[in-house]
Structure formats: C-alpha cells, structure tokens
Amino acid sequence: MPAAPVLQPVLKMKVDELFLNWLSETTTQLMLKDYLRRIKNGERIETGAGDGKHNRSLVCSANKNNVVSKKNMAEKTVSPLSTPSSPPSAPSTALPSGSCGSPRVGPNGRPVRRSIGTKLQVQAQVKKDEPITPALSENIPRFYFPRGRPKANPNIDSLISRIERTFSQFPNERATIEDMGKVAKACECPLYWKMPLFCAAGGDRTGFVSVHKFVAMWRKTLQTCHDDASKFVHLLAKPSCNYIEQEDLIPFLQDVVNTHTGLTFLREASDFHSRYITTVIQRIYYNVNRSWTGKITCSELRKSSFLQNVALLEDEEDVNQLTEYFSYEHFYVIYCKFWELDADHDLYIDQKDLARHNDHAISHKMIERIFSGAVTRGKRAHKEGRMSYADFVWFLISEEDKKTPTSIEYWFRCMDLDGDGVLSMYELEYFYEEQCQRLENMAIEPLPFEDCLCQMLDLVKPKTEGKITLHDLKKCKLSHLFFDTFFNIEKYLDHEQKDPFSVIRDGEGEVQDVSDWEKYAAEEYDSLVAEEAANEQFNDGYEHAIDPIDCQISHELNLRTDKRHFFQIPSPHSNLDLEEYEYEDDFE
C-alpha cells in the first residue's frame, strides 16, 4: 500500500497567486504609474488601505534638499507593492497607522492635519527612549547560600550581652578550657563545641580567652555564618580555608576523650588516645567526605549526621550507643583486627599481612589493587607498599558492609582497572579467574564465567548493556553479592549456600535498622569478650604455663566490662614506644 502523501502548507502559495493577479490588473498598473509620477513631481499622494475606509497621507516637500529623503520614502512606498510576497494592504511599513475614516480636507483640498506623520514619528521616538522594564530573569531572588540562609532579624547584640555576662563570672573575665562549657551554652552551641570555640579565639596559644577577643571572634562568626555547619567549619578550619582537614579535628576529639564520662577508662591510657582519635577521624571522613577529597565542606557536613551526633555526646553517657562515629567497642574491634595482622607491630601492614585477613578470604588480585593506590591515601606508605592503620579502618568497614555508598565506591575503584568509570567484561573476568582457581583447589566445580556473567547482569540490571557503572551498583540492593562473587571466596560460598529466594527478599525488603557493620562489630566484640573471659580462667589455673609475651599482649588488649575498666595502665607494646609514632602519618 503506497504511503500517504505528506501535507504541504499552501497558504503562502495562495497569497502569492492573489497578489500576482492583483498586480497584473490594468487598473493596478495605471495607479502605480500615477503614484510614480506624483512622487517625482513632489505632489501629495493619497493611498487607500485596501477597503476604502482607511486612508493615509504622505506629504512630500518640493524642497531640493529633501530629494534624497523623498526618494527613500518613494522606495519604501513602492517596494511592498513590487514584492510578490508582501500583502497589498500594507503599502508602507514605515508609515504609522492613522485614525479610522477618511482624513479631514479643507476647502482648498489640502488636509487639515498636515504634520500627523511627523508627529507620530516623534511619538515613536519618545517611546523608543523610554526605559525598558528589566526582564523577569534579572529579578530572580538569591537561592545559593554557601554559609547558610541568613535569618530575618538576627538578635546578635542580645546574644553578645549574654556571653559578656558569662565571662564576668570568671577571674579577670578570662575563660580557660574548663570554663568553655558555660561559654558554649551562652553561645547556644552544643557542649562539645567548647574546644573549637576556645581554639578559634586563640586560647590554644595563650591558655585562656579574654572576653574582648572571644566577643570579636564570635560576632564575626555570626555575621558571616548562618547555620551550624558553616559555624563548625569556620571554627575548626585553618585561616582562609572553607573546609576541614583531618588534623583540624584532633583538638576537638582530644577534648572528647579528656572530658566525656563514657571514656574515663581510656583517659588513663594515654598511649591509646591517638589510636582512638585516628579511628574516629577515619569514620567521620568515611561517612561525611562523600567527595573523597580529604576535605569536609559545609555542604557535606549539612548532608551528614555528624553534628547531630556531636550534640548527642552531651546527653549520652555511653559512647557505644553512638555507633556511627564515637563507639569505643567499634574502635576496639578495628584495632584488635589490625593488631592481629601487624606481625612486627610497627603499625603498618603489607600485602602478605592483609592477605591473612579472615583466613585468606580476599583474592590476591584484589589485595594488589588495594595496595595500588586506588583507595589508600598515604603517599609515603603507598611508595613503600604498606598500609597504615588509618587506611585499614576504611578497608575493614568496607569489607564487612558492602551496601553503603562509600563501600560501593571503595570496591568499584578497586575493580575499575583502567579507571574509565565502567566495569567491563574483561575486568570482571580478570577477578573471576582467581575465584575459579581457588574453587577448584577446594574441589568445588566453579560456574563458567559466561553463566556467572549472566547472573550478575541480571542482578545489577545495568542501564547500558555490557557495561556496569557505579550508578548501576548503587541502585542495586544486592551489591554485596556482586562484589563477593569476584573477590571474597568465603562470603561467596556463604551466599551460594543460602536460599536464593530469601536473598532476594532481603534485598527487596525495607531499609534495615542495624547495618552489616554494626552486626559484625557486635559479634566480634562479644567473641573477644568471651575469649578474654576464657583466658582469665586459664590464667588463674595455669599461670606458670603461660608464655610471658602472650600474658603481656592479653593484658594490653583487655576489654572494658561492667566489673572493671578496659585499660589498667597497659605496658608498651613489645619494645615499641607509641610516643615515637608520628601521629601525622595517618593523615598524609
């Protein structure tokens, strides 16, 4: 069946046809010739609007100085008539519209309003000079507030008066760090903002803060920062910086260790302060610094729950309830796992050490990728092929909870060998080859790569066929199955032994209240508690049969229980003096 003809617009063709018919008429040609003659002689021309009701007058002066202007006007009058595409009802676009009806003519045949054309031209020129109203796009209200939206009527003076009254209670109106809790409350800030407030006013250099210095600092902060996130960054960041670096958090967290009631037992073991602070800082950056830049901005801080957790420190006596950042139990699990791998106890581990994690569960190819610098931060440690404790914190959390955005990014970086932002089939096969070899060594027949690939593509459902992007994995609720299939043999076998329908139901269920990391940390902590209790019973019965080194390590890694504190002034680890360890190495 032939295709239907495409419709073409014919309106213009019809108008052109009518115009040519009008132009070819004898009366039209005679009229045009008469107009040309009158224009040459400088006579008046009366033109009709086409319907006999609207007439226009054009008065041409016979002055020789106006010959050029007359010729121009003639061209403007004739040109519409000589152009086939122009309508006959508009002989001149340069002439302003007149009033309806015929113009008034005097007894001598001359029009009464001789200067109407000139008058209307002047009016048009006046309109042209009038100011133009700005476009709506120029009146769009401000919508970007990098330091928070300013409040309508901030009452800064009353707040400053309250701060001055608080300082008047201190000797010489000077506040020490012990007094800064009251000052923080006067500033309407959470209690543990006291150290950032103290340092921002110069108290870390002089040991005290005067009322004048503090008021000047806080007034400037209130005038430039309009929400808690921008204020916190302003207090902690270095001068002229609008972001927080890792070392900026050390004084703040040291004050938490020194003053929080839930960390009294840790206060007695100063050697372990830096380890706890390092752990908390890495967990802060793991959850807050979503850009992986090592610099926390106001925007990232607003999107996180960190400031809410800082406010909870004041009311929550048990830091273990603050599992996202400050939990001591989580710190203890991470540090014990690192201690087990660090054979020489130099606070660094190499590829062989990390390969022993979880009984060699992670493939050697993935271990190599971790040490390649794809996810580690320390430049010096990377050159030496070592991993610091700070990097191990990221590794362990990512390994035990592969459902969070940061952990998905962590393992995606490792698997993306060429760094093009896409996991190709070649890269998946590269990691799966070792998995097949390990399964064969265990006398287990591996699934062919083609079949495994079909399963993974059905699992992830990538937007582009044959290419898995980071966005695809974040949308997939079973990303942990995907990663474990390619580089964690133990967890891969665990998943294979489970009911596939139950796995799918878990993935399609609601967001879990307790994360995989929290489950792992709780189980490991309970296991360590039970192990410590068994060691104590063994030591009570057979003290003479225990290796002195094992006894020393057991004493160093005691756990906090309800009956006694965690640390009881532990001895140095082996022959290592922790005071000589460069704390800044964790933040390279």
Side-chain angles (χ1 to χ4, degrees):
M1 182 176 179
V6 181
L7 297 178
Q8 298 291 340
V10 295
L11 178 61
K12 183 177 182 301
M13 297 172 59
K14 190 64 177 177
V15 171
D16 291 344
E17 180 185 354
L18 294 174
F19 177 77
L20 291 175
N21 290 337
W22 172 80
L23 192 62
S24 61
E25 291 181 359
T26 305
T27 55
T28 303
Q29 294 179 1
L30 293 174
M31 180 184 65
L32 293 176
K33 288 180 181 179
D34 184 56
Y35 283 170
L36 289 174
R37 180 184 59 78
R38 292 186 182 186
I39 290 173
K40 290 179 181 179
N41 298 332
E43 298 178 4
R44 174 177 56 82
I45 298 176
E46 295 181 0
T47 59
D51 56 359
K53 296 180 180 179
H54 302 281
N55 295 329
R56 297 173 185 172
S57 298
L58 174 64
V59 180
C60 300
S61 173
N63 196 326
K64 292 181 180 180
N65 295 332
N66 294 334
V67 173
V68 177
S69 62
K70 287 188 292 182
K71 287 182 179 181
N72 292 338
M73 293 299 293
E75 291 174 1
K76 292 181 180 180
T77 306
V78 175
S79 58
L81 300 175
S82 60
T83 304
S85 60
S86 300
S89 60
S92 175
T93 58
L95 298 178
S97 301
S99 57
C100 297
S102 300
R104 298 178 182 178
V105 181
N108 57 355
R110 298 180 65 85
V112 179
R113 301 178 63 186
R114 297 179 57 186
S115 60
I116 181 171
T118 306
K119 184 175 181 181
L120 291 176
Q121 287 179 0
V122 173
Q123 291 177 355
Q125 184 67 28
V126 171
K127 288 183 178 180
K128 214 178 270 188
D129 296 338
E130 291 179 357
I132 301 174
T133 305
L136 293 177
S137 60
E138 298 179 10
N139 295 327
I140 294 177
R142 181 183 175 188
F143 59 88
Y144 178 58
F145 301 94
R147 297 200 171 200
R149 183 183 294 272
K151 296 180 180 179
N153 297 310
N155 199 352
I156 297 178
D157 293 334
S158 63
L159 187 60
I160 295 299
S161 300
R162 189 190 313 164
I163 295 172
E164 291 174 343
R165 288 195 299 270
T166 303
F167 268 88
S168 64
Q169 304 172 12
F170 310 137
N172 300 323
E173 294 188 337
R174 294 177 175 179
T176 61
I177 185 58
E178 290 78 12
D179 304 321
M180 288 304 296
K182 297 179 181 179
V183 177
K185 286 302 177 182
C187 296
E188 298 180 351
C189 295
L191 176 65
Y192 282 93
W193 284 41
K194 51 192 173 72
M195 179 58 77
L197 289 168
F198 186 72
C199 294
D204 55 332
R205 296 186 298 271
T206 60
F208 61 87
V209 175
S210 65
V211 61
H212 302 293
K213 254 190 171 181
F214 186 87
V215 166
M217 180 277 298
W218 191 238
R219 185 186 292 275
K220 180 181 178 181
T221 302
L222 294 176
Q223 291 172 348
T224 57
C225 306
H226 307 290
D227 65 352
D228 289 344
S230 59
K231 292 174 186 175
F232 194 79
V233 171
H234 178 76
L235 294 175
L236 286 181
K238 300 178 181 67
S240 71
C241 289
N242 58 352
Y243 52 82
I244 300 174
E245 295 181 313
Q246 294 192 11
E247 59 267 22
D248 297 333
L249 291 165
I250 295 176
F252 160 69
L253 293 174
Q254 186 64 58
D255 180 61
V256 174
V257 173
N258 294 339
T259 59
H260 197 279
T261 56
L263 294 172
T264 305
F265 59 93
L266 180 60
R267 204 173 306 149
E268 301 171 359
S270 58
D271 292 344
F272 290 88
H273 288 186
S274 63
R275 301 280 67 76
Y276 174 79
I277 291 174
T278 299
T279 306
V280 175
I281 288 177
Q282 297 311 313
R283 297 196 67 186
I284 292 171
Y285 273 76
Y286 188 89
N287 291 297
V288 179
N289 187 214
R290 302 294 304 112
S291 60
W292 286 66
T293 59
K295 302 172 181 178
I296 294 178
T297 62
C298 294
S299 177
E300 290 177 329
L301 205 57
R302 291 188 191 101
K303 296 175 183 178
S304 71
S305 61
F306 176 67
L307 292 180
Q308 290 86 334
N309 277 263
V310 172
L312 289 174
L313 281 171
E314 179 181 355
D315 301 323
E316 184 58 64
E317 295 183 359
D318 185 6
V319 292
N320 294 319
Q321 299 300 318
L322 306 177
T323 56
E324 198 168 358
Y325 303 102
F326 300 102
S327 172
Y328 174 79
E329 293 179 357
H330 290 192
F331 153 68
Y332 184 77
V333 170
I334 297 172
Y335 188 67
C336 285
K337 291 297 178 182
F338 182 81
W339 180 262
E340 293 173 1
L341 300 178
D342 186 14
D344 54 3
H345 303 317
D346 62 347
L347 299 176
Y348 286 97
I349 58 176
D350 56 19
Q351 292 191 29
K352 292 182 180 179
D353 295 330
L354 188 61
R356 293 189 290 108
H357 173 72
N358 197 17
D359 197 18
H360 299 270
I362 300 178
S363 66
H364 293 287
K365 290 182 178 180
M366 180 52 67
I367 296 292
E368 292 175 357
R369 281 295 296 165
I370 293 172
F371 279 82
S372 68
V375 290
T376 53
R377 296 176 180 270
K379 296 180 181 179
R380 191 179 74 182
H382 169 57
K383 291 180 181 178
E384 299 174 357
R386 302 189 301 171
M387 174 185 284
S388 67
Y389 174 69
D391 288 325
F392 180 79
V393 174
W394 283 64
F395 162 78
L396 187 61
I397 298 176
S398 299
E399 165 59 18
E400 299 303 333
D401 189 355
K402 298 185 176 73
K403 298 178 182 178
T404 64
T406 305
S407 64
I408 294 174
E409 293 167 6
Y410 186 97
W411 296 117
F412 185 89
R413 284 170 172 246
C414 291
M415 295 187 69
D416 186 12
L417 299 176
D418 53 7
D420 63 349
V422 173
L423 298 185
S424 64
M425 303 305 103
Y426 163 76
E427 289 164 332
L428 299 182
E429 186 177 13
Y430 172 80
F431 287 101
Y432 191 69
E433 285 177 350
E434 185 176 350
Q435 292 289 81
C436 292
Q437 294 175 1
R438 301 184 72 179
L439 288 172
E440 291 174 353
N441 295 337
M442 300 168 65
I444 301 175
E445 184 179 358
L447 191 68
F449 174 71
E450 291 75 12
D451 296 339
C452 176
L453 182 60
C454 290
Q455 290 184 2
M456 293 300 103
L457 293 178
D458 291 341
L459 182 76
V460 177
K461 295 180 177 61
K463 185 176 181 180
T464 303
E465 184 178 357
K467 295 181 179 180
I468 298 177
T469 63
L470 180 62
H471 180 69
D472 295 330
L473 288 172
K474 286 186 175 181
K475 287 179 61 179
C476 174
K477 296 182 179 180
L478 299 174
S479 58
H480 58 293
L481 297 179
F482 175 85
F483 289 125
D484 290 335
T485 300
F486 290 102
F487 57 80
N488 193 309
I489 194 69
E490 296 293 336
K491 293 185 177 181
Y492 169 70
L493 293 176
D494 291 341
H495 297 319
E496 287 295 309
Q497 294 172 3
K498 292 181 179 179
D499 180 13
F501 295 101
S502 66
V503 174
I504 295 175
R505 284 195 300 270
D506 294 340
E508 294 177 351
E510 297 180 356
V511 179
Q512 54 187 5
D513 296 333
V514 181
S515 66
D516 288 351
W517 164 251
E518 292 176 2
K519 292 178 183 178
Y520 168 81
E523 292 173 0
E524 288 297 320
Y525 186 78
D526 292 340
S527 176
L528 290 170
V529 169
E531 183 180 349
E532 175 61 21
N535 288 338
E536 287 183 354
Q537 294 179 1
F538 183 78
N539 293 341
D540 292 340
Y542 304 94
E543 291 184 358
H544 61 283
I546 297 180
D547 189 342
I549 297 178
D550 294 339
C551 182
Q552 181 184 12
I553 294 177
S554 175
H555 179 64
E556 290 169 355
L557 298 180
N558 275 335
L559 299 171
R560 180 195 179 196
T561 63
D562 295 333
K563 296 181 180 179
R564 58 181 174 81
H565 297 312
F566 167 72
F567 288 113
Q568 296 178 352
I569 313 301
S571 303
H573 294 293
S574 301
N575 296 322
L576 175 67
D577 185 2
L578 288 181
E579 295 297 331
E580 296 179 358
Y581 174 72
E582 296 182 6
Y583 183 71
E584 289 76 9
D585 290 348
D586 292 337
F587 310 109
E588 290 180 342

